[in-house]
Amino acid sequence: MAVCYTERMKHTALVTGSSRGIGAGIARRFAEEGHRVAIHYREREAEARALYTELSESGCSVMLVCGDITDEAQAGEIVSRVRETFGFIDVLVNNAGIALPTQLVTDTSLADWRRVMDSNVTGMFLVTNAALPEMVSQKRGTIVNISSMWGVTGGSCEVAYSASKAAVIGYTKSLAKEVAPSGIRVNCIAPGFILTDMARCFPEDVVAGICEETPLLRAGTPADVAAAVLFLASEESSFITGQVLCVDGGRCI
């Protein structure tokens, strides 16, 4: 059971795509550290409600918010609902995204390409645009975008996903320069192979092979990523912006 330290509560964090996997790990860590957390989901209501129940019963300050981040009106409504409940959004974590099955680029349909770009790039753009004006007016706020090691190195048979995650990195660096004079920091996490429910569907020998290719000889966990996000959202990283932190066990070295 989570143990929350509500006396230390000081920030509101919106974590998109936080019903499961890395997003759920980030939401859980922020809540356990005493922050107010908006758990966002689009379709996975059961998983989102289970996380909400777990954290709220432990005394954490959490809320649920549903919506399609690729729709401009819904993205704005997500941000508005969080503000109505928790007030100013101090931390925005753009985590929501999708991947395609491993395939040749010539087997990737235009519809699938657009779906990946909409989910991984356009959604980030729309939610950020909804949250940013108030951050600028208050001259504070932190944005952490979730990319991937494939956005850094590129992945064979992962062209659409790699391109979208590389776009996240370019967006991060550009936006960091644009909003730094307003006191807003923008950084990026590039996870490697992380043990989520999806990853656990891989055969054991495949997972073992990936771990052997990783200098630290293990897979990562959502908690590993969450710790890095928490650091980039904290005052301990107050002089860090526009950076890409690879949480990948050394695979991008």
Side-chain angles (χ1 to χ4, degrees), residues 83-101:
R83 285 175 177 156
E84 289 170 3
T85 302
F86 285 152
F88 177 74
I89 297 173
D90 303 273
V91 181
L92 170 61
V93 182
N94 286 306
N95 167 78
I98 63 170
L100 298 176

Side-chain angles (χ1 to χ4, degrees), residues 110-194:
L110 178 58
D112 280 344
W113 174 273
R114 286 175 171 164
R115 187 162 59 91
V116 169
M117 290 298 171
D118 273 354
S119 296
N120 298 357
V121 184
T122 304
M124 171 186 65
F125 163 76
L126 291 175
V127 176
T128 302
N129 272 12
L132 199 56
E134 190 175 17
M135 289 184 175
V136 171
S137 69
Q138 295 205 23
K139 294 191 178 300
R140 62 190 176 98
T142 303
I143 299 169
V144 182
N145 300 318
I146 306 300
S147 179
S148 165
M149 62 173 284
W150 295 137
V152 177
T153 67
S156 177
C157 297
E158 298 273 6
V159 172
Y161 182 76
S162 298
S164 72
K165 291 303 188 178
V168 171
I169 291 173
Y171 175 91
T172 297
K173 290 178 177 292
S174 298
L175 184 62
K177 291 181 178 180
E178 184 172 319
V179 300
S182 296
I184 301 162
R185 296 186 299 108
V186 188
N187 288 292
C188 185
I189 299 287
F193 183 72
I194 306 298

